[in-house]
Structure formats: C-alpha cells, structure tokens
Amino acid sequence: MLAVLIFDQLNDVVYLRCDHKFVRHVRAMAHAQRLLGDGQVDLDLVTQLDPNIVVQLFSPLVTSQRIMATQFNNPYTSISCQDGTNVVFKEYAGYLFVGVGNQEESQLQRIVSVAIRMVQLIVGPCVTILKKSEEKCSLLDSLLEAWQNLYGREQSYLVEALERLVVNAELSAAAVKSLATVIDMMKPCKDLSPCHALFFVRNKLLALYSSRSAPELSASDLLFLNLMVAASQIKDGDYTEDAAPKVAVTPEEKREDDGIELDSSDSGEFCSSPNTPSLGRNASQAEESQGKIRSNVLLLRTDTCQLTPHLVHHETLSDGLSLVIVSEVNRTQMSIQLLTLLSGLEEMLSGELNGRGKLILDACDAAVKKSQELAKRIPKGKAFERVERALQQVQYRWDNLKRSGLEDWLKGGDSNVPTRVDASLTSLVDLTRSAWRAACLCISASSTASQVESAVAMASEQMADYCHFLEVKALRNMTLGCRSTLTINKYLEDFPGLVHFLYIDRSTHQLTSPTLLPDEAADVPQDSDTPASRTRSLTVSRVWSMVEFARSHLSKGHLSLMWKDTTFNYAYFLWFEDSSSNPLKVGELDENVIEALPLPGILCDDFYRAFCTQAFPGMDPSRIRIYELFCVHLGLATSPCVLEHTRRLAATIWEVAGSIDANPADLL
C-alpha cells in the first residue's frame, strides 16, 4: 500500500496519488465509520476517492501535526500504526506532504522528499495549481510513476548518479556535433538565453552540449530531465501498469480564483514536421510517436536561483534515443526577486524574526521595486500585460500592508502577529505567488515551435545511422568493449572473487558499474569461471538491499563498513580528497548535525555537499573531491582481499570510466 497526499492550509486535499490497496483501505475505514452512503460498499470497483471522505479521515491527523508544528515547534516526522502502516510528514511552502504505506519509514521519507522536489520542479511554491490544473497534476503523476519504475530497476536511480553511455570517440563526436547544430538552430528564439541539448539512450546520457553562457546543469536536474522522457513514454503507453486512482475534483475547484490563467500554453505537445525520419521504428510506432514534441516549463536549480524557469522540449527519435532541448527563460532575476519577497512575507507570518525585522522589511521593499523594473524587460504582449497587472496588485497590497502597522510591529519585536497585519500578510502571500506564476510559469512554447521542429528533424537525420547500435549498446553499456583492448568483464577478471561494484565520483555524480544482467547470467554453465558465472546468484534485490543497508549506516555517520550474508561479502566506502588528491580525514560529527543532514542522494538535496560543509567547515565544498564505492565479493573472500581489491579498484577505475586528473587516494 502506498499513497502521497498534499494538504493545504485549510486541510483540503490538493493532490493525491495512491494505489488500489490504499483506496480499498480508506473506503473500508470510511465504511466502518459510516461515512459512505448506501450502495457504496463494493471496495473492488472503485477508481476514485471522494475528497470529502479523505479530508474527514485525515483532518484530525493533519490538524494535530500543524498544532505540534506551530504551537510547540515539535512537529511529527512519522507515525507507526499497529497494523504495520507508516505515515511520514514533510512541509513545503505551507503545504503538508503526507506519505502513507507499508514501506519502511526511510523509504517513505524518500518518496515524499522526491515528490516535494518534483512539485518544486513543476509548479514551484504555487502548489494549489495541482488541484486546478489537470495537466500539471498529470505531469506530476507520470514523473512519480517513472521515478518509482526506474528506482526499482536502474542502478543510476538507486544511487542517484548519472550513468554515461560509453561509446567510441567517433560516435561521441558525431553526437556532440549534432547537438551543437541544435544549439545554433535555437539561437533565433526570443526571450531565451543560455541553452543545452542532450541525447539520452535508455536512461543513460550519451552526450551533452551547452552554449557558452549557459550555467552547468546539475546531475540531479539531468536525472529529472531523463525522468521527463520516461514520463512521456508512460503517457504513450509504453508502461503497462494500471493507472493510479485519483481524488475526484469538482468543476468549481478547477476554476481560477486570482485572475491568472492556469494553462497558458506553458506546456503540452505540438506537431513536428511530417517528414521527420522514423529512425528504424516500425510503421505503427512511428505513426504513434512521431510529431509529439513535448514542451514543459521546468524550474531547474542553478547557482543563481533555486527555481530558474527553463523551457524544455523533448522527443523520442527512436526506440531508446531521445533528444532534450533546455533553454533558460529570461525570468531568472524576476524569480529571485519574487521568491525573496515571498520568503520575507512567510518569515513575518511565522513571527520568528529574531531581531531581523528591519532587514526583512528592507529586503521585501527592494524586491517589490526591482520586480517592477524587471517586468519592463519582458517583450510587449499578453505575457507582459499579465505580469504587469499582477505586479501592480502586489505593489498596491504591499503599500497597504506597510500602512496597516507593519513597521511598528516589526520595531516592537513582538512574536505574535497582529490580526490586521496577519490578514494582510496572508493575502499578499497569495498575490505574490500569483505574480510569480504569471512571470515564471505562464510561458508560451509556441513561439519556439518552428526552431524546435527544424532542430529535431536535423538531429533525427544526423543520428539515423547510429540508432540501432545505440539501442543495443544501452542494454549492455559496460559489458561490450569499453576500450580497444579492455572490457568491463576483462577488468573484473583482474579481481578474483569480485562479483559486482558501483563506483561513483560524487564530485560530478557519475556512476561506473557493470550492467546487472542476472537473468542472462543464469544460463552460464555452472563450472564456468567467468564474471558472468559469478553473478549467477547475484540478484537485483541483493544489490538494492546492499545500497539501502549502506545508506542506513551512512545516515548515522558511518563512512566505511563491511558485512556478509550466506553468499556474498559486501563493502561500502565514502572518502574525501582535496584538489591535490590528498586524503581528507573526517572528524567526529555531533549526532544532531548528522540527523539534520538530508537523505543520502542528490535528487532531494545534495547529501554529499551538505556533509562536506559540516565535516570540513574551513574548506570550499566545491574544492573537495568525493568518492563512493560499493563492492560485492563471493562469500569466501577474506577481509584483507576485499580491502586490497577496493584499493586497486579505486586507483584503476579510470581505465574503464575514462581519464581523470589524478587517482583517488587510498581508501584507508
């Protein structure tokens, strides 16, 4: 059983994604409490949940959580029930995210944290849009489904690191050249500045090319961009899982309430040129998927702004090969100013100013003025008029708020927000979110349609000769020849007893690992002494259990460990180096510091950079190199053998992964 729910400040359900077991469970509870009318007791024929029932059942729990948070500053993080059900809580932008299921608490926390990051990616702080926009809600649904699917079968999503498709120099150069041409063809697009173009092949990154002025895309955003591709395959029916039940939403709830259009062509599909090559797809596949260039506004993380508006176009060119075009919209500074204003207003509402009232007031005042100036740079048209109108409302309400006694209250230092000020602040928060949405979400993709169509057609033609090879190569990324004289299998033969490994350069979050194909390995003769025979009994579940076990100890501050089961020896190491490849020793960290770190991984927050900030407070985290290694050996392998292999593996992995500046330091 699994469900993710989002509640607003009034305890109404904004979003719900759940499985059929959760539906039956909720309706059984509702029936027991006589919340269902006559004739509504058939629990196996239900595809929707009445939002009123969900609210009635969850309101006591949600209300209790909010009271613990606001009045006692001690909110619940989780609740365990006698029947094995776990409930976890997280808050974002004033909305309460709740995860309910039979999974372990740590797994539910990860699911809810990923859901929050996806909400940030799709709608930023305007979470209520999910209740009113079927398109945004559907996008979140498909992203969550794609993540759950890939998390259960792809090593890159298990460890949250990027896996590169290893190809020869000729093919790599051809892919980069094609992407460079795509970037050139996107230059005429107005209101778009830096640009990136990427090729993904079956969840692996083939090539990435960026314009000169473009800030680097983070590894977590690259993983999310690949999720977008996987999510579109779900919409096309490539996945056969049953659709998740939904909360019924009334037509009145879909209406806009602040004058800002919900769906202003900020995402969707448009038809590409009918003569785009099919790249080896069969006729039915080509007919179904051709012409579906999908476009979405996504809020990616950059060093400048945590919610930087980007216009993303993507299309699957062949089975497995996908092109993604990412363009930053010229709204970054606008997003910064409105988010600064929103953050200041929410801080005032909390009442916990700690003597910073004057600083927050000045920051909000400056943000209101700067956003008005930035609006003048938006090209004239409907978008400009919409943003201008929204910002005028913000300016008017801000001036009224200052006249309502705001400054006197801030000077007084009282933590209790006056009733009149509280009402004005709450109203202004809603208006600021609407203005941010008008400026950063309601962005039309139609103006770039012709350039994108031409770029897709060109890339399709240039990559047509390589598609079949790439499809096959992606299935056995590290089992075919990685270099002219070295394969990953031959590499493993240099380490007797080593069955599998995952090596991750956490400075760039790139994964190097053999492709895990236990089903095919099972066909190898029993007496065969090859890497494939060693993996005969290595199942996916064992690797996933290994990673989860190591993470549970990493969350407690344990950076190296070894353990075994009846079949295998397992080892895990996390180590750090300075820019000269000298090892850095981690001192003792306070337990409270460790507990405050995010979950291990990068999709929600970068655990590794956060750890570096705490472990090496006097150093710039960007100058610290971080490495992570998981190893699986046969059970007969001794501890000295495992340690020796990990040392040699870390020192020679560049032979498979590619050249690096210097070899990693000794693990010990």
Side-chain angles (χ1 to χ4, degrees):
M1 182 176 72
L2 176 64
V4 176
L5 305 94
I6 306 177
F7 293 91
D8 63 13
Q9 296 82 352
L10 300 176
N11 291 0
D12 286 335
V13 180
V14 173
Y15 173 83
L16 167 62
R17 176 172 175 79
C18 62
D19 58 19
H20 292 282
K21 290 182 180 179
F22 178 81
V23 175
R24 290 194 293 270
H25 183 73
V26 167
R27 289 183 64 83
M29 293 177 61
H31 178 60
Q33 299 181 30
R34 299 184 178 180
L35 298 177
L36 295 177
D38 295 337
Q40 300 185 39
V41 294
D42 192 341
L43 306 180
D44 294 321
L45 300 177
V46 178
T47 59
Q48 289 188 331
L49 282 175
D50 185 340
N52 294 322
I53 292 177
V54 178
V55 169
Q56 288 183 68
L57 290 175
F58 279 88
S59 274
L61 191 60
V62 173
T63 301
S64 175
Q65 161 72 6
R66 293 195 187 280
I67 291 174
M68 291 296 294
T70 57
Q71 296 188 15
F72 300 99
N73 196 27
N74 187 26
Y76 309 129
T77 56
S78 65
I79 294 176
S80 297
C81 304
Q82 290 182 341
D83 65 353
T85 301
N86 289 317
V87 185
V88 301
F89 304 89
K90 283 184 177 292
E91 188 169 328
Y92 167 67
Y95 294 82
L96 186 64
F97 288 67
V98 181
V100 183
N102 303 121
Q103 292 83 351
E104 294 291 331
E105 179 190 337
S106 59
Q107 180 61 11
L108 278 176
Q109 292 282 7
R110 184 173 297 278
I111 292 170
V112 172
S113 297
V114 168
I116 291 176
R117 179 67 188 102
M118 289 179 179
V119 168
Q120 294 174 331
L121 192 77
I122 298 170
V123 296
C126 303
V127 184
T128 304
I129 296 178
L130 295 172
K131 188 174 184 178
K132 303 172 182 178
S133 171
E134 185 175 344
E135 185 178 350
K136 298 292 187 185
C137 185
S138 175
L139 178 58
L140 179 56
D141 279 343
S142 56
L143 282 176
L144 280 170
E145 184 174 347
W147 175 77
Q148 286 180 269
N149 184 289
L150 294 178
Y151 182 84
R153 63 183 177 88
E154 289 283 348
Q155 293 182 126
S156 58
Y157 280 88
L158 172 66
V159 298
E160 299 185 9
L162 198 66
E163 186 173 5
R164 300 293 296 262
L165 188 65
V166 181
V167 296
N168 60 41
E170 179 185 355
L171 179 49
S172 179
V176 170
K177 182 180 179 181
S178 179
L179 294 178
T181 307
V182 169
I183 295 295
D184 289 338
M185 297 177 73
M186 292 297 295
K187 286 181 179 179
C189 296
K190 296 180 179 179
D191 206 27
L192 301 176
S193 46
C195 193
H196 311 267
L198 311 87
F199 281 130
F200 285 108
V201 183
R202 294 192 181 276
N203 309 310
K204 298 173 180 63
L205 180 64
L206 170 62
L208 164 65
Y209 188 87
S210 304
S211 58
R212 289 181 179 274
S213 57
E216 185 177 352
L217 287 173
S218 67
S220 62
D221 281 342
L222 288 172
L223 288 172
F224 277 118
L225 290 171
N226 179 70
L227 273 180
M228 289 286 295
V229 175
S232 67
Q233 294 172 348
I234 291 175
K235 287 186 177 182
D236 288 340
D238 290 354
Y239 292 87
T240 59
E241 298 179 9
D242 293 336
K246 299 296 296 178
V247 167
V249 180
T250 63
E252 290 75 14
E253 289 176 323
K254 293 184 180 180
R255 292 176 182 171
E256 186 53 73
D257 58 2
D258 56 12
I260 303 300
E261 298 174 20
L262 274 175
D263 299 317
S264 303
S265 300
D266 57 335
S267 59
E269 303 173 357
F270 56 84
C271 294
S272 59
S273 175
N275 58 357
T276 302
S278 62
L279 301 179
R281 293 174 290 193
N282 62 48
S284 61
Q285 288 175 320
E287 186 176 352
E288 288 178 5
S289 59
Q290 192 162 351
K292 290 186 179 179
I293 300 177
R294 289 179 169 83
S295 303
N296 295 91
V297 175
L298 295 185
L299 304 158
L300 305 182
R301 289 178 174 174
T302 63
D303 293 338
T304 306
C305 179
Q306 289 293 296
L307 298 175
T308 304
H310 285 76
L311 190 56
V312 179
H313 307 280
H314 60 98
E315 185 185 14
T316 299
L317 305 181
S318 72
D319 291 340
L321 177 62
S322 299
L323 171 66
V324 181
I325 304 172
V326 184
S327 301
E328 183 178 335
V329 185
N330 294 333
R331 302 282 198 281
T332 303
Q333 291 302 317
M334 178 72 76
S335 181
I336 291 173
Q337 297 306 323
L338 291 176
L339 290 174
T340 299
L341 174 60
L342 188 59
S343 175
L345 296 174
E346 291 173 340
E347 201 167 351
M348 292 181 199
L349 269 174
S350 71
E352 300 176 4
L353 303 178
N354 300 320
R356 299 177 57 251
K358 183 64 166 60
L359 291 175
I360 295 173
L361 180 67
D362 291 344
C364 289
D365 209 27
V368 171
K369 294 176 181 177
K370 288 180 181 178
S371 60
Q372 297 274 1
E373 297 171 0
L374 290 168
K376 299 175 182 178
R377 303 179 186 178
I378 299 176
K380 297 297 186 290
K382 289 184 178 180
F384 169 76
E385 294 173 1
R386 187 166 53 237
V387 174
E388 184 181 44
R389 184 168 60 251
L391 290 176
Q392 286 174 351
Q393 294 177 13
V394 169
Q395 177 75 65
Y396 177 75
R397 291 292 181 89
W398 173 246
D399 292 339
N400 283 345
L401 174 61
K402 290 193 291 185
R403 289 193 292 266
S404 68
L406 177 66
E407 294 186 59
D408 293 337
W409 167 64
L410 291 175
K411 290 177 181 178
D414 186 4
S415 60
N416 296 318
V417 186
T419 303
R420 184 180 177 186
V421 173
D422 184 271
S424 297
L425 280 171
T426 302
S427 175
L428 185 52
V429 164
D430 292 338
L431 272 178
T432 303
R433 284 177 178 162
S434 296
W436 180 89
R437 181 166 83 247
C440 302
L441 277 186
C442 296
I443 298 167
S444 175
S446 58
S447 61
T448 64
S450 60
Q451 287 89 350
V452 174
E453 290 172 11
S454 300
V456 168
M458 180 279 306
S460 299
E461 183 177 355
Q462 290 190 352
M463 297 299 293
D465 293 338
Y466 306 103
C467 287
H468 180 68
F469 170 78
L470 291 173
E471 292 165 15
V472 175
K473 181 67 174 72
L475 294 174
R476 293 174 171 269
N477 185 30
M478 300 300 288
T479 59
L480 299 182
C482 299
R483 291 164 57 107
S484 58
T485 60
L486 180 68
T487 68
I488 193 69
N489 282 344
K490 181 171 177 54
Y491 183 72
L492 282 174
E493 289 173 359
D494 293 334
F495 300 86
L498 179 63
V499 176
H500 191 65
F501 71 87
L502 296 97
Y503 173 85
I504 306 147
D505 182 346
R506 283 296 177 187
S507 303
T508 58
H509 301 292
Q510 289 199 31
L511 166 69
T512 303
S513 175
T515 302
L516 195 59
L517 295 171
D519 294 338
E520 293 188 14
D523 296 331
V524 177
Q526 292 287 333
D527 57 351
S528 175
D529 185 20
T530 65
S533 67
R534 299 177 205 152
T535 65
R536 184 168 45 246
S537 57
L538 179 64
T539 61
V540 169
S541 61
R542 287 179 186 264
V543 175
W544 263 242
S545 297
M546 170 187 69
V547 172
E548 291 302 322
F549 182 82
R551 277 176 170 169
S552 67
H553 283 269
L554 181 59
S555 298
K556 299 174 184 177
H558 304 154
L559 305 186
S560 61
L561 59 149
M562 296 175 62
W563 71 102
K564 67 188 328 183
D565 59 20
T566 57
T567 309
F568 296 108
N569 270 336
Y570 304 93
Y572 172 75
F573 301 95
L574 180 71
W575 72 100
F576 306 87
E577 303 174 4
D578 61 19
S579 55
S580 300
S581 300
N582 299 312
L584 297 173
K585 186 176 181 179
V586 179
E588 290 291 331
L589 293 179
D590 186 82
E591 185 176 340
N592 294 329
V593 171
I594 294 175
E595 290 180 353
L597 292 173
L599 293 170
I602 62 171
L603 286 183
C604 310
D605 285 298
D606 192 334
F607 167 88
Y608 305 93
R609 286 302 171 196
F611 189 95
C612 283
T613 301
Q614 298 297 332
F616 311 105
M619 296 185 64
D620 180 359
S622 63
R623 291 183 167 272
I624 300 175
R625 294 175 176 175
I626 313 166
Y627 300 95
E628 193 172 33
L629 179 62
F630 298 85
C631 286
V632 184
H633 283 76
L634 293 175
L636 297 177
T638 63
S639 296
C641 173
V642 172
L643 289 174
E644 176 60 26
H645 281 186
T646 53
R647 289 191 184 98
R648 285 203 292 128
L649 190 78
T652 62
I653 193 64
W654 62 272
E655 297 179 13
V656 174
S659 180
I660 54 177
D661 294 338
N663 292 335
D666 192 293
L667 291 174
L668 304 181

